[in-house]
Amino acid sequence: MSVKNRIKEYIKSLNIATSTFEESIGASNGYINSISKNIGLDKLTIIIEKYSNLSIEWLLLGKGEMLKDTIQYATNITHRTPQIVTIDSHSQDNIALVPQTLKAGYLSGYNDPNFIKKLPSYRMPGLNNGVFRMFEVEGNSMFPTLPNKSYVVGQFVDNWETGIKDNQIYAIISNEIEDGLIKRCTNRIKKYNNLICKSDNRRNFPTQNIEPSSIKEIWEIKLHLNFQLPDPADIYDRMNDLEAEIQEIKRKQLY
């Protein structure tokens, strides 16, 4: 089913005329029928804002249910979808990149279509089933797993209570994260209303407890891109030196 036909199906569920829907999004009569492969970003943004119960993943990709699940949790967190997405000429989601320099801007502009449209966007092979976003790693809190200035691609997590798995790495969009967006998480949202965010470099970066109400978005990391490939020879040399020192100490103890 095409995007156009899914829009028609949604209009039918509203029990309104197509012309009424077109008028509500500022489109002229016949706009829906004129859609070929994809819908314009400006109209998509208006639809997202005016019809908040419509699943954008279903509209663009045909995935899941037409209407969002609005089941309320004890923590007052509902199922969520990204506020803003961009699509290419084939109606496929682009992967917008959030570089380090725009980290602060993303915290306030994650649901601003003008901000998201200005982000560079890419397509990645193998990342097709879901909504994805790319983030530049900031600092050394996740070193050596994720070095500074490398990149990660995250898949949007809509159900925080069940979708966040212990000891997996996520991009947490929250003002409470003090040293970078990327953390390894322990999910205690249902039990304690708490998301525990840990750094892999735990000697220098303490664990943080994040209240879910402060979180704007969560993305599960699916891909890591590192353009500064480490030389394993240095590691092997250090290991060999250490092994030789241990053997020398043992040898001296025998005499």
Side-chain angles (χ1 to χ4, degrees):
M1 184 185 296
S2 66
V3 171
K4 176 171 68 177
N5 288 333
R6 284 194 287 273
I7 292 178
K8 288 183 174 181
E9 183 176 338
Y10 177 67
I11 294 172
K12 184 177 179 181
S13 73
L14 296 174
N15 197 28
I16 62 174
T18 300
S19 59
T20 301
F21 181 86
E22 290 169 336
E23 182 180 358
S24 72
I25 63 172
S28 58
N29 287 346
Y31 172 78
I32 300 301
N33 283 327
S34 70
I35 297 173
S36 55
K37 292 184 178 180
N38 62 301
I39 186 171
L41 180 60
D42 57 336
K43 293 296 184 287
L44 177 62
T45 301
I46 295 173
I47 291 173
I48 293 171
E49 293 175 348
K50 287 188 172 291
Y51 300 95
S52 58
N53 69 330
L54 174 62
S55 167
I56 301 305
E57 187 174 12
W58 175 84
L59 177 62
L60 298 180
L61 305 176
K63 303 290 185 181
E65 300 296 327
M66 178 173 64
L67 301 180
K68 295 178 184 177
D69 186 350
T70 57
I71 297 175
Q72 197 79 15
Y73 294 102
T75 55
N76 293 321
I77 296 174
T78 60
H79 286 266
R80 304 184 180 198
T81 56
Q83 297 296 310
I84 305 296
V85 295
T86 62
I87 57 176
D88 61 17
S89 59
H90 301 289
S91 299
Q92 297 294 317
D93 284 343
N94 288 320
I95 300 176
L97 166 63
V98 183
Q100 285 186 20
T101 54
L102 294 180
K103 170 192 166 185
Y106 187 78
L107 286 169
S108 58
Y110 72 100
N111 61 349
D112 180 354
N114 292 322
F115 177 83
I116 298 299
K117 282 192 296 184
K118 293 178 182 178
L119 296 176
S121 59
Y122 305 90
R123 293 289 302 165
M124 291 288 178
L127 299 179
N128 301 314
N129 297 317
V131 180
F132 299 88
R133 191 142 296 166
M134 187 185 304
F135 301 91
E136 185 177 5
V137 177
E138 176 185 11
N140 295 307
S141 66
M142 291 300 291
F143 184 83
T145 309
L146 304 175
N148 183 39
K149 295 188 180 300
S150 59
Y151 298 86
V152 293
V153 179
Q155 182 176 3
F156 188 80
V157 179
D158 62 344
N159 186 336
W160 300 351
E161 189 177 75
T162 60
I164 301 174
K165 299 178 282 293
D166 285 354
N167 294 318
Q168 296 298 310
I169 299 176
Y170 296 86
I172 312 296
I173 312 305
S174 167
N175 290 318
E176 292 192 14
I177 297 292
E178 298 172 358
D179 44 66
L181 301 172
I182 317 301
K183 295 294 174 187
R184 193 176 297 276
C185 292
T186 299
N187 184 358
R188 294 299 180 267
I189 292 177
K190 183 176 181 180
K191 192 172 184 179
Y192 300 121
N193 193 34
N194 180 29
L195 183 64
I196 303 169
C197 298
K198 300 174 288 186
S199 300
D200 281 6
N201 183 1
R202 294 172 197 173
R203 289 186 177 181
N204 299 311
F205 298 89
T207 295
Q208 298 172 250
N209 296 301
I210 305 301
E211 186 173 325
S213 62
S214 75
I215 300 173
K216 299 176 175 66
E217 293 179 336
I218 296 179
W219 304 78
E220 182 180 356
I221 302 308
K222 296 292 188 179
L223 178 68
H224 175 219
L225 302 172
N226 184 13
F227 299 101
Q228 300 177 3
L229 302 181
D231 183 359
D234 292 338
I235 300 175
Y236 296 147
D237 288 344
R238 289 197 298 269
M239 291 179 61
N240 289 334
D241 287 344
L242 178 60
E243 184 179 7
E245 289 178 11
I246 293 173
Q247 291 301 321
E248 180 64 15
I249 291 172
K250 289 181 177 180
R251 187 182 70 82
K252 288 181 178 180
Q253 288 176 344
L254 295 176
Y255 297 99

